[in-house]
Amino acid sequence: MLTSIISTTRTAASTALSMITDIGLSEYGVLVVIALIILLYAKEILSASKYWNKSVRAYLNGIMIPLLIAFAWIITLKVIEII
């Protein structure tokens, strides 16, 4: 009997938790967008300077690709949330 009550309580608690939790990327969306804007700006500025070379381009692209993926995921979640 006691095992049944504990099991039911755990199930109810996990159900309540899943109803109020979000996926998690949305709360950091602003930081992703700001970082992406700063990196795009830096890439534009550096591409016109004498410091631009293949390694700088590869470094900036390596940082920006995960941010672009996160940005696309955030936009997708927001669109799904609206629909």
Side-chain angles (χ1 to χ4, degrees):
M1 177 74 178
L2 183 60
T3 307
S4 175
I5 293 172
I6 292 172
S7 174
T8 305
T9 305
R10 285 184 184 167
T11 305
S14 68
T15 304
L17 182 63
S18 68
M19 283 193 257
I20 60 171
T21 57
D22 199 10
I23 292 177
L25 274 177
S26 298
E27 58 196 31
Y28 299 110
V30 174
L31 296 175
V32 169
V33 171
I34 290 172
L36 192 57
I37 289 171
I38 290 171
L39 287 171
L40 286 169
Y41 179 73
K43 188 175 179 180
E44 274 302 308
I45 296 298
L46 286 173
S47 67
S49 73
K50 65 179 182 177
Y51 300 109
W52 185 253
N53 58 28
K54 288 182 181 180
S55 64
V56 172
R57 185 182 71 210
Y59 179 75
L60 287 174
N61 286 340
I63 294 172
M64 288 189 324
I65 289 173
L67 289 175
L68 284 170
I69 292 169
F71 179 72
W73 183 248
I74 290 167
I75 296 298
T76 305
L77 290 178
K78 291 295 182 182
V79 168
I80 291 172
E81 186 178 299
I82 291 171
I83 295 174

